[in-house]
Amino acid sequence: MSRVQKFGSRKSISSIAAKKQAEQAASEAAASSEVPFPSRRKSHPSNKQQMAGWFYKIIIFLFLLLLVGLLLWGKQFE
């Protein structure tokens, strides 16, 4: 099997450049006709506020648990 049969014939630089220009023109035409997608921030909103609320609630709960534990431990030594 020859190289030409295996890989095809060599292409000139001008034909490669013309092919790239045609691909760019086709992609620009396709991009202008498509409906743009919404931004990622709108599609997948952040839940930072919810996570901050959970964090503060857990911190307060742990503090109260520590307070109750220390009070019970202190009562043990009376």
Side-chain angles (χ1 to χ4, degrees), residues 21-63:
Q21 287 178 351
E23 288 175 356
Q24 287 176 352
S27 66
E28 288 175 3
S32 64
S33 65
E34 293 179 8
V35 177
F37 291 109
S39 67
R40 186 191 183 287
R41 193 173 294 259
K42 289 181 182 177
S43 300
H44 306 283
S46 174
N47 62 350
K48 285 182 183 179
Q49 295 290 333
Q50 184 181 11
M51 293 301 291
W54 288 357
F55 176 74
Y56 290 127
K57 288 177 184 175
I58 289 172
I59 292 293
I60 291 170
F61 174 74
L62 289 174
F63 177 75

Side-chain angles (χ1 to χ4, degrees), residues 61-73:
F61 174 74
L62 289 174
F63 177 75
L64 292 174
L65 192 64
L66 176 67
L67 180 66
V68 169
L70 288 173
L71 287 171
L72 291 174
W73 188 43

